[in-house]
Amino acid sequence: MATGMRGLTQFIADIRGARVRELEEKRINKEMANIRKRFKDGNLDGYQKKKYVAKIIFTYILGYKVDVGHMEAVNLISSNKYSEKQIGYLAVTLLMHENSDFLRLVVNSIRKDLDDNNEIHNCLALHAIANVGGKEMAEALAEDVHRLLISPTSQSFVKKKAALTLLRMYRKHPDVIPAEEWALRIVSIMDDPDLGVVICVTSLVMALAQDHLDAYAVCYQKAVDRLHRLVVDHEYSATYAYYKVPSPWLQVKLLRLLQYYPPSDDPTIRSVLHNVLQVIMNNSAEPTRNVQHNNAQHAILFEAIGLAIHLDTNSPLVGTAAVLLARFISSKETNVRYLGLDTMAHLAARADSLEPIKKHQGTIILSLRDKDISVRRRALDLLYSMCDVDNSELIVGELLRYLRVADYGLREEMVLKIAILTEKYANSYKWYVDTILDLISAAGDHVGDEVWYRVVQIVTNTEDLQEYAAKVVFEHMKSPSSHESLVKVGGYILGEYGHLIANSPGYSPLEQFQLLHAKSQFCGAPTRALLLSTYIKWVNVFPELKPQLINVFERYRHVLDSELQQRACEFYAIASRPEEDELLQNVCEEMPPFPPRQSALLGRLNRKQGDTEDKRTWVIGGKEANLERQASKRLTVMTTGAARLSNGSTGVSQPDSASAQDITKTLAGLDFTTSPDQAEAPGLQHASSNLSTIKVPPVVAGPNVDRWFDKLTYSADGVLYEDIQLQIGVKSRYHGHLGQLAIYVGNKIGVPLTSFTTTMHVSEPEALSVTFAKMPPTMIAPRTQTQLLLHIECNKFFRTPPVMTVSFLAGSHQTLSVRLPLVITKFFEGVKLGPTEFFERWKLIGGPPREAQSIFPITLNAAGHIDMPKHRQVVSGLRFDILDGIDPNPTNIVGAGVLHMAVEGKVGCLMRLEPNREAKLCRVTIRSTSEDVASEVQKLVQKPLTTES
């Protein structure tokens, strides 16, 4: 900064030479006064402005308040000299915050620098936007930053900064970025040859995809392809090899990105992913002596294991992973132990069987006493996730023992988890009560109200448990130091069920009262209020205690606390009424059972854990917890969709759903429904149906495109689409319910088609399966052709042909969608029938609804005759066997065929085509054992014959 500015150099030297703070402040005040005077006088050239602003920046960095130089910094940004512009941007990013009024003055200057052909100016502007850009700046400049990112002329380092700037803007102001609109263009940059650009764009895609899964779904294929090229094909430059590991940061990001999406149904993608994960695990099987290499390899390995668990917990890869994790949780390195325990918790959260994890239960329990608290926390999470009916008593016992010496930062979470596990896996109610009371005694202040609320609820609802609970809580309260939560539990249970043990030796009413009242002096007002309610219950069931209890009420009538005073006055009045008065009995009736409700402990634990910025794809807990989470997520999406539909807009403000839900929970037991069998809201039904609809992109249309498609419905090969850049042709063959479709994509121009992406959209996936035989290429060289091979299987009847979307970069990003000529007749097989057989079956099938018939105009050939060759070509092309000699009229065509489907079996189909030369009309009649097949085949026969092609 000080290069070439002697005044700045001298100023810094003077500051450093000041021996005491007073001398430093004196020198700074002198300099600031001089700068103010020079700015006020004006007539400063660029060099002088730069020098004085640099001094202001240095003063600010030292920690002194600066209130001058802002306008001069804004002016420096407009300079054409790099050194002045740099100081101006530095001052703006340091001296101003995102809501500063001065920032509005620099928006146009920043836009000008973004549009500049000078890459250095681009980068300075991007830095400023990322560091201080507020919402106004983001709204004004987001389009310009995006343009820099996608521009084919932008240098790699500019693209990297643009991607990270967009990421920063999205994290601060997500509503400013049109994420879905830009999806395909941003994802296409993941094919950039520069891995540095790919890393930055992948970071951006990860953030965007978490909130817009469907829009960024195409990134799944890109991520798999890039991983295969990095890990298996070793396609990377030496620059991006970190201790012989190819770009570990990119691999980790890609593996994490794949976990956001459900496992792909495409067998090709699954096979490639399996191969990649296998290579990663093989590479990490044996650690090397190089620490940096091990660190990079472990980072990739743990993400790979997480992805393998996400894809299929029963695969051999997960078995291999379990063996590796067992080694890692015993490692000498703290980081490896931490990651091993965390990944094993992921496995426990998804696995069908916990047996591989239970083998290492002793090691995991020992990790609770690890020297590092983060490792102890992960061990706690893992024990919580792997607990089941078989090992619950052992794990809960260990956690209770460890609770007494655990860190204070862990205790509240431990209490919640012990309480949840005790309730979830209790073999007997007695064990549950013993454990929870031990927990309350041991944890003390770390026990939340939810814990003792739940104990009270379960005891109240379980009649066989009430006497035992009263005895146990009485014994626990004999301890010299009983925590207030234990006193609350004791007060409630003894007040309700103390009479059940009153006749047992050592549990007399007087002993119960003396024990409970002795504890009250150490408790707060809410607990004392609860104990007063216990005493009024005792007035009803223990008349012999009435004098002592009335005396207590009398004393509490004069306390300062209004709640205690009001209770005492009311209870004193009730207790003083005559014995024959029934009011006391009615007021003090035994509490009825609580209505069934979900435990509040799980909600408290989930709120405590929360979601990080990089959202987890799983939660701490067993498989049930994760299945419930997925179900709640789906319900949330459906409810959101319903709310949007009912509002008609996403901008309508709604009341806070979380707080409303909490209010409803507090009123559990009240029935708000008007009808017990009330159906779900109409909006919710509509939202559900909308969500299940697959979004198919609009297909290209035009006379040539439609003519090519119609011809291919009855032809095995031909052109499907063509323009000045691209030609798409197809060749196909079918046998039974299976087929192969070869798609030839030709590049007709002199530049390569980069970021070439092919996506299939099948509207009826349960009826028709379309998969790639291998991963499609990502680039097509100039004036060359590539082949895409599709495997097709017909499972059920379908109407809508699949759509293939092709996107590529050729100067700009282009996308087109074309229908593939996959119609139901492709899975027909011709059948030879004699006249007798044909007419028998024709009559057997009968008329409507299993008959479809239509009359349509036809075009005669040049000689004015019926175009018989074309009619026969269409019928045979639709894979009917033409039956000659059946119909006495030689111009009529009769055919028969059988539709093959893997799931629904075979369906017979007969057809009769009757053209009339004089009327220029034709009648087609289709009879089939399936009315859907009949109507669809009738349309397919009619369409090519109606056209003039």
Side-chain angles (χ1 to χ4, degrees):
M1 185 191 290
T3 306
M5 291 187 281
R6 285 182 297 171
L8 176 61
T9 307
Q10 186 59 48
F11 176 59
I12 294 173
D14 292 347
I15 295 295
R16 287 178 176 172
R19 295 183 177 180
V20 292
R21 182 175 177 82
E22 288 74 15
L23 293 175
E24 181 182 294
E25 289 179 356
K26 184 178 179 182
R27 178 69 182 91
I28 285 173
N29 291 335
K30 178 183 176 184
E31 191 64 43
M32 287 296 108
N34 178 51
I35 291 172
R36 284 192 186 88
K37 182 175 181 299
R38 298 302 300 270
F39 283 164
K40 188 175 181 181
D41 293 344
N43 297 324
L44 298 176
D45 59 22
Y47 168 78
Q48 291 172 314
K49 284 182 184 178
K50 177 181 70 172
K51 179 178 68 175
Y52 292 133
V53 170
K55 289 181 178 180
I56 291 170
I57 292 171
F58 183 74
T59 304
Y60 177 81
I61 291 172
L62 288 177
Y64 290 92
K65 189 176 179 180
V66 170
D67 57 0
V68 68
H70 296 77
M71 200 62 215
E72 282 67 24
V74 171
N75 293 334
L76 281 175
I77 288 178
S78 304
S79 171
N80 290 322
K81 288 186 179 180
Y82 169 72
S83 59
E84 294 174 10
K85 189 182 288 287
Q86 182 193 31
I87 293 295
Y89 272 117
L90 185 61
V92 164
T93 54
L94 283 175
L95 303 180
M96 300 180 192
H97 56 82
E98 63 179 53
N99 298 319
S100 172
D101 291 334
F102 285 103
L103 277 183
R104 295 172 183 167
L105 304 175
V106 299
V107 169
N108 285 330
S109 298
I110 292 176
R111 181 180 283 115
K112 183 181 175 184
D113 286 336
L114 290 174
D115 294 338
D116 202 327
N117 291 327
N118 188 323
E119 293 86 358
I120 304 298
H121 293 177
N122 297 157
C123 293
L124 288 172
L126 290 170
H127 275 294
I129 297 169
N131 285 324
V132 292
K135 187 163 187 177
E136 284 186 29
M137 186 180 284
E139 288 173 344
L141 299 174
E143 292 278 356
D144 299 273
V145 177
H146 176 250
R147 181 184 48 75
L148 266 184
L149 173 63
I150 67 174
S151 171
T153 59
S154 292
Q155 295 292 329
S156 292
F157 64 89
V158 176
K159 286 184 179 180
K160 288 192 278 188
K161 292 184 187 300
L164 296 177
T165 302
L166 274 180
L167 176 59
R168 182 69 176 270
M169 291 164 74
Y170 181 74
R171 284 176 173 168
K172 290 175 72 176
H173 311 290
D175 52 325
V176 171
I177 306 297
E180 295 193 5
E181 182 184 330
W182 291 351
L184 288 176
R185 191 63 184 86
I186 289 175
V187 170
S188 69
I189 308 173
M190 290 176 70
D191 286 324
D192 197 278
D194 189 306
L195 286 184
V197 174
V198 178
I199 292 172
C200 296
V201 170
T202 303
S203 300
L204 175 60
V205 169
M206 285 177 72
L208 296 170
Q210 289 181 57
D211 301 321
H212 308 277
L213 279 177
D214 292 339
Y216 286 82
V218 71
C219 74
Y220 196 95
Q221 185 177 325
K222 299 277 186 193
V224 173
D225 181 64
R226 177 65 73 173
L227 277 171
H228 186 266
R229 285 154 59 190
L230 278 174
V231 177
V232 181
D233 297 338
H234 301 290
E235 286 185 24
Y236 60 92
S237 63
T239 315
Y240 289 97
Y242 178 80
Y243 289 92
K244 299 181 182 179
V245 180
S247 192
W249 297 276
L250 177 57
Q251 288 192 53
V252 167
K253 288 177 185 293
L254 293 173
L255 291 166
R256 175 63 61 86
L257 176 61
L258 293 174
Q259 293 178 57
Y260 296 153
Y261 288 90
S264 172
D265 295 327
D266 191 323
T268 307
I269 291 180
R270 291 180 75 94
S271 173
V272 172
L273 255 184
H274 184 279
N275 191 20
V276 168
L277 295 175
Q278 187 70 62
V279 171
I280 290 173
M281 289 188 187
N282 292 343
N283 290 342
S284 306
E286 291 299 327
T288 64
R289 292 185 178 181
N290 190 308
V291 177
Q292 284 81 3
H293 175 86
N294 284 342
N295 288 342
Q297 204 68 58
H298 285 152
I300 298 168
L301 175 64
F302 285 116
E303 281 301 338
I305 293 174
L307 178 58
I309 295 168
H310 176 73
L311 294 175
D312 182 10
T313 54
N314 297 317
S315 71
L317 285 174
V318 176
T320 307
V323 174
L324 289 172
L325 291 174
R327 192 178 77 200
F328 291 139
I329 62 174
S330 304
S331 172
K332 293 180 181 178
E333 293 184 40
T334 304
N335 290 337
V336 175
R337 289 199 305 278
Y338 174 92
L339 290 170
L341 290 166
D342 187 59
T343 311
M344 199 173 267
H346 184 190
L347 178 58
R350 292 287 179 84
D352 294 325
S353 171
L354 295 171
E355 291 306 318
I357 302 173
K358 287 181 182 177
K359 293 176 185 176
H360 314 288
Q361 190 167 287
T363 308
I364 298 165
I365 290 172
L366 283 176
S367 299
L368 280 175
R369 288 162 175 79
D370 195 277
K371 59 185 178 182
D372 190 290
I373 186 172
S374 60
V375 174
R376 296 197 290 273
R377 196 180 293 277
R378 293 286 78 81
L380 171 62
D381 290 341
L382 177 51
L383 286 170
Y384 175 70
S385 298
M386 65 183 283
C387 189
D388 62 12
V389 178
D390 299 329
N391 61 5
S392 57
E393 292 194 21
L394 174 64
I395 288 179
V396 169
E398 285 291 341
L399 292 178
L400 271 175
R401 278 192 289 277
Y402 176 62
L403 179 64
R404 303 175 198 279
V405 295
D407 303 83
Y408 286 100
L410 274 177
R411 287 193 181 184
E412 186 180 355
E413 187 179 340
M414 285 191 73
V415 167
L416 283 172
K417 288 181 174 176
I418 292 171
I420 291 168
L421 293 178
T422 306
E423 179 184 339
K424 189 173 182 181
Y425 299 112
N427 293 319
S428 68
Y429 283 117
K430 292 183 178 180
W431 177 75
Y432 171 77
V433 170
D434 290 340
T435 305
I436 292 294
L437 293 178
D438 284 343
L439 174 65
I440 294 173
S441 301
D445 293 332
H446 301 281
V447 177
D449 286 341
E450 295 93 343
V451 176
W452 77 265
Y453 288 168
R454 192 65 175 163
V455 179
V456 163
Q457 181 182 338
I458 289 175
V459 171
T460 304
N461 290 9
T462 313
E463 189 174 343
D464 297 342
L465 184 61
Q466 291 162 359
E467 183 178 346
Y468 179 79
K471 284 185 177 180
V472 172
V473 78
F474 185 87
E475 294 299 330
H476 272 81
M477 289 183 62
K478 285 182 178 178
S479 169
S481 56
S482 299
H483 191 267
E484 197 165 336
S485 295
L486 185 63
V487 177
K488 290 177 183 176
V489 176
Y492 183 94
I493 292 178
L494 292 176
E496 291 292 331
Y497 312 114
H499 63 279
L500 298 177
I501 61 171
N503 296 327
S504 302
Y507 302 106
S508 68
L510 183 60
E511 288 173 304
Q512 290 184 39
F513 169 69
Q514 289 172 344
L515 179 64
L516 206 56
H517 196 57
K519 304 290 183 184
S520 65
Q521 57 185 321
F522 305 108
C523 299
T527 307
R528 292 187 183 192
L530 186 148
L531 293 180
L532 288 179
S533 300
T534 300
Y535 297 159
I536 192 65
K537 293 261 184 179
W538 280 349
V539 169
N540 184 38
V541 294
F542 301 142
E544 64 269 28
L545 293 179
K546 189 172 182 179
Q548 294 99 312
L549 296 174
I550 289 179
N551 187 32
V552 173
F553 295 146
E554 172 65 31
R555 289 208 311 273
Y556 273 98
R557 288 170 66 192
H558 307 291
V559 296
L560 294 176
D561 188 281
S562 59
E563 169 69 17
L564 286 174
Q565 189 183 91
Q566 182 177 350
R567 284 197 187 208
C569 290
E570 291 171 357
F571 292 162
Y572 180 83
I574 293 172
S576 303
R577 296 176 74 87
E579 290 185 6
E580 63 273 7
D581 196 324
E582 295 182 356
L583 178 63
L584 180 62
Q585 294 179 12
N586 294 333
V587 169
C588 299
E589 280 185 356
E590 191 174 299
M591 280 288 289
F594 289 91
R597 65 179 78 166
Q598 187 183 9
S599 171
L601 299 174
L602 283 170
R604 172 78 180 274
L605 183 63
N606 291 336
R607 285 197 302 274
K608 188 171 179 61
Q609 288 173 345
D611 251 341
T612 57
E613 187 174 86
D614 185 18
K615 296 173 184 171
R616 272 184 185 267
T617 56
W618 56 281
V619 292
I620 303 297
K623 188 174 183 181
E624 291 177 10
N626 282 272
L627 290 174
E628 287 171 7
R629 176 178 181 261
Q630 290 171 7
S632 66
K633 269 190 169 183
R634 283 194 294 271
L635 183 63
T636 303
V637 172
M638 289 167 63
T639 309
T640 306
R644 288 179 178 175
L645 285 170
S646 60
N647 291 335
S649 166
T650 57
V652 180
S653 61
Q654 293 292 315
D656 186 350
S657 59
S659 60
Q661 192 176 8
D662 288 343
I663 292 169
T664 309
K665 278 184 180 176
T666 61
L667 301 175
L670 299 179
D671 187 7
F672 291 108
T673 56
T674 55
S675 170
D677 54 352
Q678 186 175 3
E680 62 179 342
L684 191 62
Q685 294 172 349
H686 292 313
S688 175
S689 62
N690 281 354
L691 285 166
S692 62
T693 307
I694 298 171
K695 294 180 182 177
V696 179
V699 296
V700 290
N704 285 341
V705 176
D706 293 340
R707 180 165 52 84
W708 290 330
F709 175 81
D710 291 339
K711 186 173 182 181
L712 283 169
T713 58
Y714 62 88
S715 304
D717 55 70
V719 174
L720 181 61
Y721 176 82
E722 187 169 11
D723 59 21
I724 58 171
Q725 294 177 314
L726 205 65
Q727 183 188 58
I728 302 176
V730 297
K731 283 186 179 180
S732 60
R733 60 178 182 178
Y734 298 89
H735 181 73
H737 64 276
L738 300 175
Q740 274 191 341
L741 189 69
I743 302 174
Y744 297 90
V745 183
N747 178 5
K748 297 168 62 177
I749 59 177
V751 295
L753 304 181
T754 58
S755 190
F756 185 79
T757 308
T758 313
T759 313
M760 301 303 306
H761 303 273
V762 183
S763 59
E764 301 168 77
E766 72 287 344
L768 185 68
S769 168
V770 182
T771 57
F772 287 102
K774 61 179 182 179
M775 293 283 288
T778 57
M779 187 192 78
I780 303 178
R783 307 193 190 284
T784 59
Q785 190 181 71
T786 189
Q787 184 195 66
L788 311 173
L789 189 62
L790 297 176
H791 291 314
I792 303 153
E793 183 176 12
C794 177
N795 298 312
K796 299 178 182 179
F797 171 78
F798 67 94
R799 294 181 187 277
T800 310
V803 174
M804 180 178 74
T805 300
V806 174
S807 62
F808 55 89
L809 285 174
S812 63
H813 187 263
Q814 299 176 50
T815 303
L816 62 94
S817 297
V818 291
R819 292 175 297 165
L820 292 181
L822 284 174
V823 292
I824 195 67
T825 53
K826 295 291 183 182
F827 303 96
F828 269 44
E829 185 179 357
V831 179
K832 288 280 185 186
L833 295 175
T836 307
E837 289 177 289
F838 178 84
F839 285 114
E840 278 181 2
R841 297 189 184 190
W842 185 267
K843 290 176 183 177
L844 187 64
I845 294 172
R850 294 194 289 183
E851 177 187 272
Q853 189 178 81
S854 66
I855 298 173
F856 55 91
I858 57 172
T859 305
L860 304 179
N861 62 15
H865 298 291
I866 295 169
D867 194 349
M868 289 302 296
K870 181 182 177 182
H871 285 206
R872 292 180 72 88
Q873 181 190 359
V874 169
V875 173
S876 61
L878 292 171
R879 301 177 67 82
F880 281 96
D881 203 327
I882 296 177
L883 307 177
D884 295 319
I886 300 287
D887 197 301
N889 189 337
T891 60
N892 292 354
I893 298 175
V894 176
V898 173
L899 169 61
H900 293 266
M901 297 178 286
V903 175
E904 294 184 346
K906 297 179 181 181
V907 174
C909 190
L910 305 175
M911 70 149 291
R912 191 178 183 198
L913 194 67
E914 302 169 277
N916 187 309
R917 176 186 169 190
E918 287 73 23
K920 295 184 182 179
L921 295 174
C922 183
R923 180 170 67 182
V924 60
T925 308
I926 308 292
R927 288 189 180 184
S928 171
T929 51
S930 164
E931 55 189 88
D932 291 331
V933 172
S935 67
E936 185 65 19
V937 172
Q938 176 258 314
K939 294 173 188 173
L940 292 170
V941 172
Q942 177 180 330
K943 192 164 187 182
L945 294 178
T946 308
T947 59
E948 297 179 0
S949 55

